[in-house]
Amino acid sequence: MAQRFDPITLEILWRRLISIVDESDAAVARTAFSSLLRDAHDYTCMFTDSRGRELAQGTLATPGQSGAMALGIRKLVQGLPPGSFRPGDVYITNDPWALAGHLNDVCVLSPIFHHDRLAAFTACILHHSDIGGRVASDNREVFEEGLFIPLVKLYDAGTLNQGVLDMISANVRTPEQVNGDIRSQIAANHVCAAQVVRMLEEYGLEGLDDLADEVIGRSEKSIRDSIARAPAGVYRSQALIEQTEGQPEVCIRCAVTIQGSDITVDLSGSSPQVDWGGNVVYNFTYAYVHMAVKSIFDPEIPNNDGIAAPIRLVAPAGSVVNCRHPAAVAARMQIGHFITEVIYRALAKALPERVVAAGGGTPATMQMFYGRHGDGRPFHTVLIRGGGLGASAARDGEGSFIFPANGANTPVEILESDSPLIVERRGLLPDSGGPGKQRGALGRREVFRVPDDAYAPQAPVSLAIQSGRFRLPPEGLFGGKPGALAQFLVNGKPGDPYGLTQLKPGDTVVMDAAGGGGYGDPGERDPELLARDMREGKVSEQSADRDYGEARRK
């Protein structure tokens, strides 16, 4: 007989589950070697029931990882023969098509046993700064992008497979950092497993499956009720995404159908997969469809398998949103981050008060620096940055956010401690937010310099960029104007954001993130808000006269 839970016990157990996975998350923050993990939080912890159904994820989870894990973990554990798992097993993989879409996202997966019975699984995905390969967006195949680890046992019943760690160490530039981060993942899983078993003991539970049925079922009912209240219909939009110079823009076409409590997102007609690393695997596409649907219809509901039940995704194989192996996928965020935006744009017609205009942090800006310190030590560090958030019906866009990826902006001090580079300037760009009744948030500028003194690197510093919005700005909604374009300059001249850039001592890099799109007619902006923007230096007199004429004259 399935165990039932009264509402109070269910709430207590649910909060206990979240505290467990957040404790696992904190273990990564305390023990990770890479600054991308400690400071930018580019990782996700979660656990499932014994059938691989997602039950809980960390409060600060990254949607591209968590949504992909929800699909991927279930397929992985259900794809292995019954009885495959033993206490002390730890699996590892970074198969982009199985999980989060590129080789840098390495997953460590562990079964949880209670009273010698399989009770659950816990998993942790980290974005490893270094996975070998040619670190650039213009690779043509996944084989160029680094080490591909199929699903293998890192620990077999508690015994380390040293050969797997040796293989990984031999294929990366900074093995001490990579191995340290893998051990951080193992520690996170250990924390999660120990606390799950402790909870089962305290409450006399044999496993998590009955609790999962209750939590997942309630979550599904909640989001279905919200979808059913939306106006039924088919809502369409498309997004154009720039490629390298001379290539046509990528197009993502979207048709969102709301019928009762079901929602279908059909991406048929989107561009075929491309010959560079912007291709998106099905799991990553689904992750940002999931992000869009949840954030619009039921943002406060717990993340678990119940959220997935009403969503049907159509993404044709061989398209840029469901690429086939061996497509290059390292820069999948340069296209994948737009999936949430194109769904917002479609549903703006049905639910205008629940969406935001396009943001300058879509896609995030990722800068990968590697080379050698003056004393010969290798370094490999990654900065991730947001841009201006788009405005909404209720408020201006604010801050410099990595949206919809939910990462954190890496402190500049981390770059300077991890590498010989110097950050000369960081600040917001006046007049870069899209004009509107609600104004888009400002874009951001950072200036980096390679020193030419005693701290100069031993050899040229390699810089790889993943970003966007250099030619097509973030669009506004309902008469709002676009935000300012992004910019990448090397010594004052436009750089190549797709290939590798070799920086010499004395070189300077300027990286501008785009501003957010505006919402509503700029002429309807509250004159007091416009005057405040001018006092604070966010909008200049020239921009006020040019872009906010009617509001300026009030």
Side-chain angles (χ1 to χ4, degrees):
M1 293 287 293
Q3 186 167 359
R4 307 298 296 178
F5 303 90
D6 64 81
I8 294 175
T9 302
L10 183 63
E11 180 68 16
I12 291 170
L13 289 174
W14 170 250
R15 291 183 180 276
R16 181 73 171 270
L17 295 176
I18 294 300
S19 71
I20 288 171
V21 75
D22 281 348
E23 187 174 346
S24 175
D25 187 296
V28 177
R30 290 194 303 267
T31 62
F33 279 43
S34 169
S35 60
L36 184 65
L37 308 175
R38 297 190 314 268
D39 301 291
H41 204 280
D42 199 348
Y43 65 91
T44 297
C45 300
M46 64 173 284
F47 61 89
T48 76
D49 66 5
S50 69
R51 291 163 282 185
R53 297 181 303 167
E54 182 191 7
L55 182 52
Q57 62 179 242
T59 304
L60 297 178
T62 300
Q65 294 170 341
S66 62
M69 290 169 78
L71 290 181
I73 298 299
R74 183 170 65 247
K75 290 179 181 178
L76 287 176
V77 303
Q78 293 181 358
L80 291 172
S84 296
F85 305 103
R86 295 188 293 174
D89 284 351
V90 178
Y91 289 80
I92 188 170
T93 181
N94 69 343
D95 181 346
W97 283 265
L99 285 164
H102 68 174
L103 296 174
N104 296 84
D105 277 346
V106 178
C107 178
V108 172
L109 168 70
S110 308
I112 301 174
F113 282 82
H114 178 53
H115 294 161
D116 297 323
R117 293 177 57 187
L118 180 64
F121 292 89
T122 178
C124 179
I125 282 186
L126 267 63
H127 180 119
H128 285 254
S129 301
D130 179 14
I131 201 65
R134 181 175 176 273
V135 186
S137 300
D138 62 354
N139 291 323
R140 300 301 178 92
E141 293 182 317
V142 70
F143 303 114
E144 300 174 65
E145 296 180 325
L147 176 64
F148 193 122
I149 308 168
L151 184 67
V152 295
K153 281 189 178 181
L154 183 58
Y155 282 82
D156 189 355
T159 300
L160 174 64
N161 185 343
Q162 186 63 46
V164 173
L165 277 184
D166 291 344
M167 176 194 66
I168 294 171
S169 297
N171 281 277
V172 297
R173 299 173 180 86
T174 52
E176 179 181 348
Q177 176 177 298
V178 173
N179 287 333
D181 287 340
I182 290 173
R183 293 187 182 279
S184 177
Q185 293 177 265
I186 296 168
N189 285 5
H190 177 76
V191 167
C192 186
Q195 293 301 327
V196 166
V197 170
R198 181 180 175 186
M199 186 190 81
L200 296 177
E201 292 281 1
E202 287 182 14
Y203 287 89
L205 303 176
E206 287 300 315
L208 290 176
D209 289 1
D210 291 343
L211 179 59
D213 288 340
E214 192 79 28
V215 169
I216 290 170
R218 286 171 178 256
S219 297
E220 178 181 348
K221 181 180 184 305
S222 179
I223 194 166
R224 282 192 179 279
D225 288 347
S226 181
I227 293 170
R229 290 193 293 270
V234 181
Y235 304 96
R236 303 180 187 276
S237 67
Q238 69 176 35
L240 294 179
I241 305 163
E242 62 206 38
Q243 293 197 73
T244 53
E245 291 287 348
Q247 293 197 49
E249 287 84 5
V250 168
C251 179
I252 297 179
R253 289 194 169 89
C254 175
V256 181
T257 302
I258 299 174
Q259 186 173 13
S261 66
D262 292 304
I263 188 164
T264 298
V265 177
D266 189 345
L267 303 180
S268 298
S270 297
S271 295
Q273 63 190 61
V274 294
D275 62 353
W276 59 281
N279 295 295
V280 189
V281 305
Y282 181 92
N283 283 9
F284 197 75
T285 292
Y286 176 77
Y288 282 106
V289 169
H290 180 285
M291 159 70 182
V293 171
K294 182 182 185 300
S295 63
I296 289 174
F297 290 99
D298 209 337
E300 301 300 326
I301 195 173
N303 275 297
N304 57 57
D305 253 34
I307 309 300
I311 305 171
R312 175 173 174 260
L313 170 62
V314 179
S319 69
V320 74
V321 292
N322 185 10
C323 63
R324 293 189 174 100
H325 184 274
V329 290
R332 89 283 198 236
M333 74 174 195
Q334 288 182 245
I335 291 175
H337 281 184
F338 284 87
I339 291 166
T340 293
E341 179 180 304
V342 74
I343 295 172
Y344 276 15
R345 195 174 302 159
L347 290 177
K349 300 155 189 160
L351 300 162
E353 75 285 354
R354 297 195 192 178
V355 300
V356 296
T362 306
T365 296
M366 187 172 289
Q367 300 154 100
M368 293 148 281
F369 298 93
Y370 65 91
R372 291 188 176 273
H373 292 275
D375 59 8
R377 291 178 296 118
F379 69 86
H380 190 294
T381 190
V382 176
L383 283 185
I384 186 166
R385 289 282 184 264
L389 189 66
S392 67
R395 60 189 298 175
D396 292 345
E398 293 294 340
S400 184
F401 287 104
I402 299 165
F403 182 83
N406 197 36
N409 291 293
T410 314
V412 295
E413 294 83 359
I414 298 302
L415 175 69
E416 294 183 334
S417 65
D418 282 354
S419 76
L421 277 78
I422 296 169
V423 180
E424 294 197 327
R425 179 185 169 193
R426 181 183 182 189
L428 299 176
L429 292 167
D431 294 336
S432 57
K437 181 179 181 180
Q438 310 293 345
R439 175 185 45 75
L442 301 183
R444 167 200 44 78
R445 168 167 291 181
E446 287 186 331
V447 180
F448 309 91
R449 180 171 59 84
V450 184
D452 55 2
D453 52 20
Y455 298 98
Q458 191 179 77
V461 174
S462 295
L463 168 61
I465 298 286
Q466 292 181 15
S467 189
R469 308 288 199 186
F470 297 105
R471 296 196 305 275
L472 299 174
E475 296 181 18
L477 284 175
F478 303 111
K481 304 301 182 184
L485 288 168
Q487 187 173 218
F488 171 46
L489 304 176
V490 180
N491 297 327
K493 298 179 181 179
D496 176 11
Y498 291 87
L500 277 174
T501 300
Q502 300 297 316
L503 301 174
K504 306 180 299 300
D507 285 351
T508 298
V509 173
V510 174
M511 192 76 216
D512 290 350
Y519 189 109
D521 183 353
E524 297 179 7
R525 185 159 179 76
D526 184 333
E528 291 186 8
L529 294 180
L530 180 59
R532 183 198 65 186
D533 287 343
M534 296 173 67
R535 287 195 305 271
E536 295 176 353
K538 295 177 179 178
V539 175
S540 68
E541 272 197 54
Q542 294 87 344
S543 173
D545 291 338
R546 180 184 67 241
D547 300 319
Y548 294 92
E550 192 66 30
R552 177 78 158 133
R553 288 188 288 271
K554 289 179 183 177

